[in-house]
Amino acid sequence: MRAITILSILLISSFSFAQKGLTSFGLQFKPIVPVSYFNAGPVSLSDTIVKIEIKQKTGYSMGMIIRHNITNLISFETGINYVRRNYKIAATSKINTLNDQLEFGFVNYEIPLQALVYVQLSKRLYMNVSSGIALNAYPSHVISLGENLLLEQLSLRGRIIGLSYLANIGFEYKTEKSGNFYLGGSLVTPLSPITETQIKYEYQTASFAEFTSFLNGNYITIDLRYFFPAEKDE
């Protein structure tokens, strides 16, 4: 009960700073952090010939943000981002020493649509929590070969346009003349697999082991944002 009372006081105090009608423009850069949580961990595939492991590597998302304060408490954000997920595939032979590995990137363009709620922590420091969806456009399939030309992957996009769930929490330092500086973290969860990855491993001349894996594309990010000084709509 005490926690609810404290949260209510914080929310009421936040009415004073998130001025209704303000529209802000910002830029962001979000490194994608490889994790084993949220169903984003390594994928292992195996048979009697070879073991295949698919790992997510560090990627990034970057783009622009438009934020509009609907009320003194709630804002709406949209924009457009370029997202690059990076993966590594390693093949470890069970019958000889012919191992191989490759790396590839899978790209999409993202339009987020999310609502934010503010909480004031001090005169200039605020916390916000946001949630929403994103429209994702996947422009192409991706094919690549291993370092020793024994491994090959073909990643077929699941669909041209897909949806993702977005969740975010962060802290924002606001100034009147220098803009706003933001540090936070996000979780992005596509509602369907982003790609069907087909893998071939040549263990003898013209003899292949083949695998298929659906990559969910879940990831978390560290969010670095800068908002230019806002202008109130007439």
Side-chain angles (χ1 to χ4, degrees):
M1 189 67 182
R2 179 181 298 178
I4 295 175
T5 302
I6 294 173
L7 181 58
S8 298
I9 294 172
L10 289 172
L11 290 176
I12 292 171
S13 69
S14 69
F15 288 2
S16 62
F17 75 88
Q19 299 179 36
K20 180 179 179 180
L22 285 181
T23 298
S24 304
F25 171 80
L27 302 174
Q28 70 176 359
F29 180 77
K30 304 193 298 182
I32 295 176
V33 182
V35 295
S36 298
Y37 307 104
F38 310 111
N39 202 24
V43 176
S44 293
L45 308 169
S46 182
D47 62 9
T48 58
I49 295 171
V50 65
K51 177 182 177 181
I52 302 292
E53 188 170 57
I54 308 172
K55 289 185 177 180
Q56 187 180 57
K57 294 175 61 66
T58 302
Y60 62 90
S61 170
M62 62 181 182
M64 54 157 284
I65 317 164
I66 298 174
R67 177 189 289 174
H68 181 73
N69 293 344
I70 300 173
T71 70
N72 290 336
L73 177 63
I74 299 174
S75 294
F76 174 77
E77 275 190 358
T78 187
I80 186 168
N81 298 308
Y82 172 90
V83 181
R84 180 182 174 92
R85 297 171 175 87
N86 291 321
Y87 294 93
K88 178 180 179 179
I89 301 178
T92 304
S93 176
K94 295 181 178 181
I95 61 174
N96 53 41
T97 59
L98 298 177
N99 302 327
D100 204 356
Q101 64 180 14
L102 62 82
E103 295 183 3
F104 71 98
F106 200 77
V107 169
N108 74 274
Y109 298 94
E110 174 189 82
I111 299 177
L113 305 167
Q114 55 187 350
L116 291 84
V117 177
Y118 300 91
V119 176
Q120 186 172 9
L121 302 179
S122 67
K123 183 178 179 180
R124 296 190 181 276
L125 182 64
Y126 309 96
M127 181 178 75
N128 64 45
V129 179
S130 66
S131 182
I133 62 171
L135 302 175
N136 300 289
Y138 300 95
S140 65
H141 311 305
V142 177
I143 188 170
S144 52
L145 297 175
E147 296 176 355
N148 299 322
L149 303 181
L150 302 174
L151 192 61
E152 176 185 311
Q153 74 80 27
L154 171 62
S155 291
L156 303 172
R157 61 188 179 190
R159 57 191 63 198
I160 298 176
I161 301 294
L163 292 176
S164 295
Y165 168 72
L166 307 177
N168 169 271
I169 185 170
F171 298 89
E172 193 164 332
Y173 184 81
K174 294 176 177 284
T175 68
E176 294 182 1
K177 297 182 179 180
S178 300
N180 304 338
F181 302 87
Y182 178 96
L183 175 65
S186 294
L187 168 66
V188 179
T189 305
L191 301 186
S192 61
I194 63 170
T195 176
E196 175 188 335
T197 298
Q198 300 175 0
I199 301 169
K200 293 175 64 177
Y201 166 75
E202 185 175 8
Y203 60 93
Q204 292 177 351
T205 303
S207 297
F208 298 90
E210 299 183 347
F211 302 87
T212 298
S213 177
F214 293 90
L215 300 183
N216 294 319
N218 301 346
Y219 64 84
I220 64 171
T221 62
I222 298 171
D223 298 359
L224 306 172
R225 297 179 176 180
Y226 171 72
F227 287 91
F228 297 96
E231 295 183 2
K232 188 171 183 179
D233 294 348
E234 297 295 333

